């Protein structure tokens, strides 16, 4: 199959010249995005723009407009006939800009050459305000993850304050939350008929502001839950925490209630979400005519890192039923899994194989959690009544069909494609679903077959999994399984590797400073992972992001479901100290670790944590003096994983 050469008109227009190539003198809809324009189904602005196009409207995109000059970028495509659509991009702009320590990042993965400073802080608000000043008569619709997670009173870590719904600050007319295809199609259908967007008060999966004296829209069958007002939340942290249980539950229910909240002289109305997309609906979104490439304007401006990471990857599904308390996936994509058909996935793979620089390697066959494809409730009516934020915590739900058979069959079909040399699974795998003493499913055979298939055919050198912590109390707050199940998983992983003569490392992800985590928990984590043979690489400090249980705990000091206190580290120095335990093997941390543990009466733990490191150094020094010209071993006790920088240092 030979790929046709792309023409400029194959991309949606971003300039007047490109509009003219299509014979257009005006646009119906203009999308403003904080990301560079990559015409690919993993980039939200492209998905929404292609959907608008599929609905028969003329649409253009203004990617990363300059907000600091005379605002000519916002004017270059003229005034749209129907509305502006605004998104901050594929990431919340504040997460994109700042580390957990609130230091400014030096790069932006969604910009050519990773260049920073091409989008403002709080991008959705900034863009919307500019549009409202320039074109006050044109409706503004906001969406994307930034708008979605800030749709109600939320804690903003970067300003360290409660902020009202982003609708208040942005001045937008309507907010679409979650994955926006379903509500957007209904909105477009109505505005095409001449219905004013500002009158659309009962579209599912949208939020609107109205004067507080106006009646709540009628004509729908939804029940209404009134949240504590924004002003009350400002006065009382417990009131804010109490809101969250309703917000999280109604975000994930199949038949949810409407939420309202008073904000000053206005009332925020959040309509219930649509039910999970069916296979035909999600296929239709992925089957739109994407070029799968960045716009040609970026040709000589350097690669776009986020695109380079996913250009040969395939997203098989959306959603995640893990319900991790620090994660925003279910808040945006939903708890229920929306899976694509095999036909749609294989068709996209075929398209990827025709790309000019494709060498036969798919970088990822995955999703938010790689091994949730095709999983759903055995009896849908039970799921319809469920209010739990997780299907697998504190135990795996008896009603969850956790068979991995469909994934294994699909992987094998991809393996047989003559154009594919290797198809990797690079997305994180939910390891607890593969441990039979945790996932007590009747599908044990399918779990074993899946794991054999992945370990022997689809690991790109190493397998990523996310136990997140070793402390059971912390893991309960995280909504993650006991660490003992990770031990079981590692044993199984190692056995399969040994059986097939493979030496593939396991890369575990961990978080420090999570609510409920104390210094002793981090010391125990360091010692237990060290004894398992790990020198940790994939680690992070907890970052409070809007719309998560953990963030509510961080701000309020109580768990929103129980309103009971939870110890939480906030002081930057203490947070940094917790993070140091990940890097016990670094010489500059040794004295600090000894002194810290001595003060808590744990000198023996410090000795156990550091003694192997000292012994290892002695052995390496001996090897270097005893074996002239030979490279010292980079493999530590138990096959430990070393960082690249340490390996290079030893080779020198």
């Amino acid at each position: 199959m030979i790929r046709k050469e792309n023409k400029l008109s194959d991309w949606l227009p971003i300039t007047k010249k490109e509009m003219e190539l299509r014979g257009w003198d005006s646009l119906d809809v203009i999308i403003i995005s904080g990301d560079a324009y990559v015409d690919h189904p993993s980039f939200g602005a492209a998905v929404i723009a292609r959907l608008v196009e599929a609905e028969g409207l003329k649409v253009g995109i203004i990617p990363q407009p300059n907000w600091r000059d005379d605002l000519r970028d916002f004017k270059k495509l003229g005034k749209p006939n129907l509305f502006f659509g605004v998104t901050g991009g594929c990431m919340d702009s504040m997460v994109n800009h700042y580390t957990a320590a609130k230091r400014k990042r030096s790069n932006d993965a969604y910009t050519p050459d990773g260049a920073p400073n091409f989008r403002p802080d709080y991008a959705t608000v900034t863009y919307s305000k500019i549009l409202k000043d320039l074109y006050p008569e044109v409706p503004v619709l906001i969406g994307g993850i930034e708008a979605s997670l800030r749709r109600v009173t939320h804690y903003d870590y970067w300003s360290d304050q409660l902020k009202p719904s982003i609708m208040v600050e942005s001045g937008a007319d309507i907010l679409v939350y979650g994955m926006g295809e379903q509500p957007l199609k209904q909105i477009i259908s109505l505005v095409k008929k001449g219905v004013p967007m500002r009158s659309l008060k009962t579209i599912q999966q949208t939020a609107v502001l109205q004067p507080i004296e106006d009646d709540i829209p009628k004509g729908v069958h939804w029940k209404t839950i009134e949240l504590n007002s924004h002003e009350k939340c400002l006065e009382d942290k417990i009131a804010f925490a109490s809101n969250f249980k309703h917000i999280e539950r109604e975000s994930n229910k199949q038949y949810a209630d409407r939420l309202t909240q008073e904000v000053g002289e206005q009332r925020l109305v959040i309509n219930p979400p649509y039910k999970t997309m069916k296979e035909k609906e999600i296929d239709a979104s992925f089957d739109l005519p994407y070029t799968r490439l960045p716009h040609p304007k970026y040709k000589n401006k350097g690669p776009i890192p986020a695109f380079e990471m996913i250009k040969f990857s395939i997203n098989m599904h959306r959603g995640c039923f893990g319900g991790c308390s620090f994660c925003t996936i279910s808040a945006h994509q939903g708890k229920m899994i929306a899976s694509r058909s095999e036909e749609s996935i294989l068709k996209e793979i075929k398209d990827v194989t025709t790309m000019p620089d494709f060498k036969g390697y798919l970088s990822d066959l995955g999703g938010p959690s790689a091994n949730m494809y095709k999983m759903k409730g055995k009896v849908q009516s039970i799921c319809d009544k469920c209010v739990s934020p997780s299907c697998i915590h504190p135990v795996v739900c008896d009603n969850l069909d956790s068979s991995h058979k469909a994934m294994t069959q699909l992987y094998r079909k991809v393996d047989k494609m003559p154009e594919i040399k290797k198809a990797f699974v690079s997305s994180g795998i939910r390891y607890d679903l593969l441990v039979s003493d945790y996932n007590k499913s009747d599908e044990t055979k399918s779990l074993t077959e899946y794991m054999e298939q992945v370990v022997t055919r689809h690991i790109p050198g190493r397998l990523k999994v996310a136990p997140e912590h070793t402390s059971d109390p912390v893991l309960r707050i995280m909504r993650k399984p006991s660490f003992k199940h990770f031990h079981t998983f590692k044993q199984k992983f190692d056995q399969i590797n040994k059986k097939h003569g493979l030496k593939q490392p396991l890369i575990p992800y961990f978080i420090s400073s999570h609510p409920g985590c104390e210094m002793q928990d981090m010391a125990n984590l360091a010692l237990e992972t060290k004894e398992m043979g790990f020198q940790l690489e994939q680690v992070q400090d907890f970052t409070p992001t809007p719309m998560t249980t953990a963030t509510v705990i961080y701000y309020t000091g109580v768990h929103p479901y129980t309103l009971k206190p939870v110890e939480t580290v906030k002081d930057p120095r203490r947070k940094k100290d917790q993070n140091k335990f990940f890097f016990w093997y670094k010489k500059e941390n040794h004295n600090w670790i000894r002194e810290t543990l001595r003060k808590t009466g744990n000198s023996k733990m410090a000795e156990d944590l550091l003694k192997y490191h000292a012994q290892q150094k002695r052995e390496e020094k001996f090897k270097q003096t005893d074996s002239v010209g030979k490279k010292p071993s980079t493999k530590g006790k138990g096959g430990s994983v070393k960082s690249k920088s340490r390996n290079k240092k030893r080779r020198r």
Side-chain angles (χ1 to χ4, degrees), residues 424-482:
F424 297 117
V425 177
S426 300
S427 299
I429 282 178
R430 191 76 198 208
Y431 81 86
D432 44 354
L433 286 172
L434 297 167
V435 178
S436 57
D437 58 350
Y438 183 73
N439 183 10
K440 304 180 189 303
S441 166
D442 55 4
E443 288 286 347
T444 304
K445 182 180 178 183
S446 84
L447 308 185
T448 303
E449 286 183 346
Y450 175 83
M451 195 159 171
E452 284 262 355
Q453 178 74 20
V454 169
V455 173
T456 59
R457 296 290 304 162
H458 304 289
I459 293 179
R462 51 195 201 168
L463 181 65
K464 295 186 295 186
V465 291
E468 306 296 8
H469 217 287
T470 58
S471 162
D472 281 353
V474 177
L475 288 166
R476 279 193 291 273
I477 294 172
M478 289 180 163
R479 296 181 186 145
K480 298 285 285 188
S482 171

Side-chain angles (χ1 to χ4, degrees), residues 48 51 141-145 147-149 151 167 173-187 200-208 220 222 250-259 268-278 281 318 329-336 338:
I48 294 306
L51 173 64
L141 178 153
I142 58 175
I145 194 162
S148 186
L149 301 185
R151 61 186 181 264
M167 288 289 287
D173 297 281
I174 190 167
L175 180 154
V176 170
Y177 66 90
M179 308 304 280
E181 293 101 328
Q182 292 161 298
L184 190 60
K185 287 182 75 170
Q186 187 178 358
I187 290 169
L200 302 180
K201 306 291 188 182
T202 57
I203 305 292
Q204 284 181 253
Q205 213 165 304
T206 65
V208 295
V220 290
W222 308 319
E250 302 312 315
S251 296
N252 289 318
K253 284 163 62 175
Q254 291 294 282
Y255 297 96
D257 296 333
R258 174 168 54 190
L259 300 174
L268 175 70
V269 179
I270 303 176
N271 294 325
Y274 276 87
K275 289 199 292 184
T276 306
M277 291 178 85
K278 295 178 180 176
E281 291 177 296
R318 291 178 183 167
I329 292 172
S330 64
H332 185 62
Q333 295 194 14
K335 181 177 78 168
M336 303 295 182

Side-chain angles (χ1 to χ4, degrees), residues 309-310 313-317 329 362-372 411 424-431 450 454 458-460 462-466 507 509:
M309 184 181 295
I310 57 85
S313 73
I314 305 296
N315 192 341
M316 294 165 52
H317 61 277
I329 292 172
L362 288 177
S363 58
D364 188 25
L365 277 172
S369 291
N371 57 326
M372 289 187 182
Y411 293 172
F424 297 117
V425 177
S426 300
S427 299
I429 282 178
R430 191 76 198 208
Y431 81 86
Y450 175 83
V454 169
H458 304 289
I459 293 179
R462 51 195 201 168
L463 181 65
K464 295 186 295 186
V465 291
I507 305 298
Y509 283 62

Side-chain angles (χ1 to χ4, degrees), residues 16 44 60 71 93 104 117 124 133 159 204 216 233 240-241 306 324 410 418 433 439 448 478 501 517 520 580 602 649:
K16 276 282 190 182
L71 308 180
S93 58
K104 191 75 182 281
N117 304 319
T124 303
D133 286 341
S159 62
Q204 284 181 253
I216 297 173
C233 291
F240 171 67
C324 297
L410 181 54
L433 286 172
N439 183 10
T448 303
M478 289 180 163
C517 177
Q520 186 64 40
K580 281 181 184 177
N602 286 294
K649 182 177 179 181

